[in-house]
Amino acid sequence: QLRLVASGGGSVQPGGSLRISCTASGDTFSDYCLGWFRQPPGEEREEVARIGSDGATKYAPWVNIRFIISRDNAKNTLFLQMNSLKPEDTGMYFCAAGRLCYASGFDYWGQGIQVTVSS
């Protein structure tokens, strides 16, 4: 069974940067599609970005070029580099993994970590 542990959350000022990570164990990491999701206060969970086993990436339209998703298969780790952060980026962030790279295909989830953007 694949296990995911997220880390790197915190509080930053608007315009700042933050990198969050997700470390996997228990299965062959390179076989999985990986994704980041977030849930702002009072809103539904939404996908931020995903990266396939082949390295192909896909981002939510509102991300533009501010966030970069990447993976290091040698370290079994998924990353999300977040730049030019805005207050509306505040929320709980989750990493997820699945055998297929579709929105409904994420079967394994890490714990939520808090990201707060405020002055």
Side-chain angles (χ1 to χ4, degrees), residues 2-24:
L2 188 70
R3 292 179 291 276
L4 302 172
V5 179
S7 62
S11 182
V12 297
Q13 293 184 323
S17 298
L18 194 67
R19 188 176 75 160
I20 54 178
S21 304
C22 179
T23 301

Side-chain angles (χ1 to χ4, degrees), residues 75-94:
K75 295 184 177 181
N76 294 337
T77 303
L78 169 71
F79 301 97
L80 184 67
Q81 177 67 47
M82 298 183 285
N83 302 312
S84 301
L85 284 163
K86 306 174 181 179
E88 52 262 43
D89 293 320
T90 294
M92 294 293 292
Y93 283 70
F94 303 83

Side-chain angles (χ1 to χ4, degrees), residues 55-108:
T57 59
K58 190 175 185 67
Y59 297 89
W62 49 263
V63 168
N64 296 126
I65 60 172
R66 297 188 300 121
F67 297 175
I68 300 174
I69 188 171
S70 62
R71 63 193 296 166
D72 186 339
N73 289 338
K75 295 184 177 181
N76 294 337
T77 303
L78 169 71
F79 301 97
L80 184 67
Q81 177 67 47
M82 298 183 285
N83 302 312
S84 301
L85 284 163
K86 306 174 181 179
E88 52 262 43
D89 293 320
T90 294
M92 294 293 292
Y93 283 70
F94 303 83
C95 58
R99 291 289 191 180
L100 299 174
C101 219
Y102 296 96
S104 61
F106 294 101
D107 301 319
Y108 303 94

Side-chain angles (χ1 to χ4, degrees), residues 10-57:
S11 182
V12 297
Q13 293 184 323
S17 298
L18 194 67
R19 188 176 75 160
I20 54 178
S21 304
C22 179
T23 301
S25 62
D27 206 351
T28 305
F29 180 80
S30 59
D31 290 342
Y32 286 87
C33 180
L34 306 170
W36 285 102
F37 295 75
R38 74 180 189 184
Q39 186 170 16
E43 300 182 22
E44 295 183 351
R45 182 179 296 169
E46 62 183 353
E47 184 176 344
V48 177
R50 70 180 74 168
I51 182 167
S53 59
D54 60 353
T57 59

